[in-house]
């Protein structure tokens, strides 16, 4: 005799399996589409900092203690006294979103690995660099006995030093660290008493996979 109950159960099981497979495939496709949309959205607000163009206007920047420095396009301005070190870097945002600067870290070794984020000096003011526009990053070290002051003073008197700049997008995510190398310009070049040339050597993604 034909067991119709068994056949009905098998049919129900097959139908349920097919429905589950279709649901899984649909959910997987939806998740993939959501990830693609999220990636496109993030790409639209991702910043990336580079040295500004030499033809960009100078950046005149005031520090909290009333000190002023002016950095020409594509270069830096550096002043070191017995009490403090002041640095302004003229940068340009080549990314698709506004860059919000978070902090900085200085080092003599341009080949050193990315330092821990806890070692970065957090900025006391919000600095925004618009998309495809010049802006600035400022560094002030007012403790002559600190390691940061020693690094800047030693690098300025020698072959240069590096400044790691930590920044992110307008949502506070997609954090990046860009390493800028500051060194002396050619003797007698430019209209300034002393030229400080900027080069960018590395970019590290903090919240995303590394670019290389």
């Amino acid at each position: 005799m034909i067991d119709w109950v068994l056949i009905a159960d098998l049919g129900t099981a097959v139908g349920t399996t097919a429905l589950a497979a279709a649901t899984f495939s649909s959910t997987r496709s939806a998740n993939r589409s959501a990830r693609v949309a999220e990636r496109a959205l993030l790409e639209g607000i991702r910043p990336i900092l580079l040295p500004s163009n030499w033809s960009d206007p100078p950046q005149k920047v005031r520090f909290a203690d009333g000190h002023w420095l002016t950095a020409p396009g594509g270069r830096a301005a550096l002043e070191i006294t017995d009490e403090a070190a002041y640095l302004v870097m003229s940068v340009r945002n080549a990314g698709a979103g506004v860059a919000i600067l978070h902090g900085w870290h200085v080092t003599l070794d341009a080949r050193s690995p990315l330092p821990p984020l806890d070692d970065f000096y957090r900025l006391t003011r919000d600095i925004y660099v618009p998309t495809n526009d010049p802006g600035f990053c400022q560094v002030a070290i007012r403790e002559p006995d600190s390691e940061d002051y020693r690094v800047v003073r030693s690098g300025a008197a020698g072959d240069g030093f590096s400044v790691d700049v930590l920044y992110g997008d307008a949502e506070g995510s997609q954090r990046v660290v860009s390493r800028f190398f500051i060194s002396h310009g050619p003797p007698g070049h430019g209209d300034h008493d002393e030229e400080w040339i900027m080069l960018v050597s590395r970019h590290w993604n903090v919240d995303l996979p590394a670019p290389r």
Side-chain angles (χ1 to χ4, degrees):
M1 295 180 62
I2 300 176
D3 192 341
W4 294 105
V5 174
L6 177 60
I7 293 175
D9 288 343
L10 289 175
T12 300
V14 170
T16 301
T17 302
L19 179 60
T23 302
F24 174 78
S25 177
S26 176
T27 302
R28 187 176 181 181
S29 177
N31 289 340
R32 187 182 302 112
S33 298
R35 287 195 298 269
V36 170
E38 180 184 15
R39 188 175 182 86
L41 175 63
L42 292 176
E43 286 287 350
I45 61 173
R46 182 173 298 165
I48 186 73
L49 293 183
L50 300 172
S52 64
N53 300 325
W54 280 46
S55 59
D56 284 331
Q59 298 285 330
K60 189 172 184 178
V61 179
R62 183 185 187 276
F63 290 82
D65 58 4
H67 198 84
W68 288 86
L69 276 184
T70 301
R75 285 151 285 179
L78 176 64
E79 184 175 334
I80 301 175
T81 69
D82 292 336
E83 293 79 27
Y86 301 94
L87 173 69
V88 172
M89 299 184 295
S90 179
V91 298
R92 174 175 281 269
N93 182 5
V98 175
I100 302 178
L101 275 55
H102 297 168
W104 54 264
H105 176 272
V106 294
T107 180
L108 275 176
D109 186 0
R111 297 168 296 181
S112 63
L114 175 68
L117 296 187
D118 289 341
D119 290 349
F120 279 73
Y121 180 88
R122 297 290 172 163
L123 297 178
T124 56
R125 61 181 286 191
D126 291 335
I127 299 178
Y128 296 80
V129 183
T131 303
N132 197 28
D133 228 3
F136 68 89
C137 176
Q138 62 183 133
V139 173
I141 304 171
R142 300 184 180 88
E143 298 176 357
D145 295 331
S146 68
E147 176 66 13
D148 291 336
Y149 181 88
R150 186 195 67 80
V151 166
V152 171
R153 185 151 201 165
S154 175
D159 295 329
F161 60 96
S162 292
V163 182
D164 296 333
V165 180
L166 172 65
Y167 57 96
D169 61 26
E171 300 296 326
S173 61
Q174 300 190 100
R175 291 173 299 172
V176 177
V177 175
S178 294
R179 174 165 290 176
F180 294 89
F181 184 70
I182 312 297
S183 63
H184 291 277
H189 180 78
D191 300 327
H192 303 272
D193 295 335
E194 192 166 22
E195 290 271 299
W196 294 96
I197 306 300
M198 291 172 51
L199 297 174
V200 64
S201 59
R202 286 292 304 272
H203 299 284
W204 289 277
N205 286 334
V206 177
D207 302 316
L208 297 171
R212 62 168 176 161

